[in-house]
Amino acid sequence: MSNQSEKEGIRRLRLGFLVLIIVSLLSLVSLFRGLVTPSPSVSPNVTALNNTNPQQLLSQIASREIVQIEEALILTSIIGVVNIIGMIVLRGGFNVLSKVVSDNIGIGSTGSILYIISFPLGIIGEVILFYSFLSLNFSTIFIGLSFSFLELILLLIGSILLGIGVHRVGREYNNTLVKVGGILIAIIILAFIGAILSYIGLGQVKPISERQNVQIYPVGQGVIRRDGSAKIVIYSSTTATIFSAKIEGTKLFTFKVNPVNLQHGNNEITIQFDDISSLVENSTCIITLIVDVGGNSIPINVNAIYQGSQ
C-alpha cells in the first residue's frame, strides 16, 4: 500500500468537502438574496392594466426584472461550476482510496459522476424555463421542467451513492464523524452538515499504512479478580487512548479503565467490571480494548484468567 497515495486520497476528499461547504454557503447567499429582492412591481394605472392583455402584462413584468433574473442565473451558474470542481476533486479522492484501501469505496466516485452530470442539466433547465416564461411557450416550458426533473433524479441517486462512499471511508478508518457524515450526505437536506462532519473527521484519520506500523499488544496473560477488577499489561509503540473494555461472549462492558492513556512501553492497566458472577472460575476470558490511535479506533484482545479470589 502506497503511503503517499493514501495520504493524497484523504487530502483530495477533504479538499472536495471544503469546496462543497463553500458552495453551500454561496447557495445560502443566493437564497437570501432572492428572499430580500423586491417582487415585480405592477403599474397601479388601472386603465393601462385593462387595456393590456395577459401576455403583454407578463412580458412587461419580466422585462423589468430581467436584469435581476439574469444575475440570479449567473450566480447559479457560478455555484454549479464550483460544485462541479468540488465533485471532480472528490471523485479523484474516491478513485485513489478505492485502489489503495478498498474497492468498496469506489461507489462514491459513481455518486460524484452523477452529481457532475446533474449540474449542467439543471442550468440548462433553468435557462429554458426562463426564456419559456418570457414567451409563454408551453412546449419549451415542458422541456425545461424535464431537464429539472432529470437533474433532481440524478442528484437524489448521486447523493445516496456519495453518502454510501463516504460512510465506507469512515468504516475503513474507524472514524465516527466520517461515518455519520456519510449518512447525512445521503439525506440531501442534511448534506451541508454531513460535509462539515466529513471534513473534520478526515482531518483526524491516520493512513492505514501508517497505522500498520503502530504496535499495541498484550504482554503476558491478565488476571480477573472476584471483585470485578482486571489487571493487564499492554505494550504500545506510541501514545494512545483506551475508550472502553468488554469481555467477549458476555454482556460485561465498562469505561472504568485506569489509566486511559497509553504511553510508549509497557503499561499496567486496571479495568473495573461490575457484576461478574456469570464468569466461570479459572476460565480464560478475552478482554477486548477499544484503543484510539490518532483518530482511528482499533481493537486489542487480551487473554485474562478469572481466578475468582482476591
Side-chain angles (χ1 to χ4, degrees):
M1 180 183 294
S2 173
N3 179 273
Q4 292 302 319
S5 295
E6 189 179 1
K7 283 185 176 180
E8 178 64 16
I10 295 172
R11 187 192 69 81
R12 288 187 185 183
L13 282 185
R14 197 158 186 252
L15 177 60
F17 282 123
L18 178 60
V19 173
L20 293 185
I21 292 171
I22 294 174
V23 167
S24 297
L25 293 176
L26 286 175
S27 299
L28 289 175
V29 171
S30 177
L31 177 62
F32 178 77
R33 181 182 179 280
L35 291 176
V36 300
T37 300
S39 58
S41 56
V42 181
S43 172
N45 191 325
V46 178
T47 303
L49 290 177
N50 291 333
N51 294 331
T52 305
N53 63 48
Q55 182 171 348
Q56 290 176 332
L57 179 60
L58 289 175
S59 298
Q60 290 174 8
I61 295 174
S63 298
R64 293 169 186 167
E65 303 300 324
I66 192 169
V67 174
Q68 293 180 349
I69 296 176
E70 287 180 344
E71 288 177 354
L73 285 175
I74 292 173
L75 182 57
T76 301
S77 300
I78 293 174
I79 292 174
V81 170
V82 178
N83 233 328
I84 290 174
I85 293 174
M87 286 297 166
I88 291 174
V89 175
L90 276 180
R91 181 172 180 269
F94 282 119
N95 285 340
V96 172
L97 293 182
S98 66
K99 293 177 182 177
V100 300
V101 177
S102 172
D103 292 339
N104 293 330
I105 294 175
I107 193 172
S109 176
T110 303
S112 301
I113 293 175
L114 294 181
Y115 256 102
I116 292 171
I117 296 173
S118 71
F119 294 134
L121 292 178
I123 293 174
I124 292 173
E126 288 181 3
V127 172
I128 292 176
L129 285 174
F130 170 62
Y131 288 106
S132 297
F133 280 119
L134 286 180
S135 60
L136 287 182
N137 188 326
F138 292 102
S139 61
T140 52
I141 288 176
F142 177 77
I143 295 174
L145 290 174
S146 299
F147 272 96
S148 297
F149 178 74
L150 183 58
E151 176 201 20
L152 180 61
I153 295 299
L154 292 179
L155 278 176
L156 179 62
I157 299 175
S159 184
I160 293 173
L161 297 182
L162 186 65
I164 293 174
V166 174
H167 184 271
R168 289 179 178 178
V169 171
R171 186 179 62 191
E172 291 293 333
Y173 289 98
N174 292 313
N175 188 283
T176 302
L177 283 178
V178 178
K179 287 190 285 188
V180 174
I183 294 172
L184 296 182
I185 289 172
I187 307 172
I188 296 180
I189 59 175
L190 299 177
F192 177 61
I193 300 175
I196 294 176
L197 293 180
S198 300
Y199 175 79
I200 296 173
L202 287 168
Q204 297 174 347
V205 302
K206 181 177 290 186
I208 295 175
S209 51
E210 288 185 6
R211 209 189 325 159
Q212 291 173 341
N213 296 326
V214 175
Q215 293 184 324
I216 302 178
Y217 54 82
V219 178
Q221 183 173 256
V223 175
I224 303 176
R225 304 292 186 185
R226 188 181 299 275
D227 63 357
S229 63
K231 305 285 185 179
I232 61 176
V233 178
I234 299 293
Y235 171 83
S236 179
S237 63
T238 185
T239 58
T241 302
I242 302 175
F243 277 155
S244 62
K246 71 174 182 177
I247 298 179
E248 294 295 336
T250 73
K251 296 181 180 180
L252 298 175
F253 178 89
T254 185
F255 293 107
K256 300 175 184 178
V257 180
N258 184 42
V260 296
N261 295 318
L262 297 177
Q263 304 298 327
H264 177 71
N266 290 341
N267 298 262
E268 294 184 0
I269 306 297
T270 299
I271 306 169
Q272 185 63 51
F273 293 100
D274 292 328
D275 182 13
I276 59 170
S277 59
S278 60
L279 299 182
V280 178
E281 191 167 347
N282 295 323
S283 64
T284 300
C285 304
I286 298 177
I287 300 176
T288 299
L289 304 177
I290 301 300
V291 181
D292 176 77
V293 183
N296 301 290
S297 299
I298 57 176
I300 305 296
N301 294 327
V302 184
N303 289 331
I305 186 169
Y306 175 46
Q307 292 184 342
S309 60
Q310 299 294 334

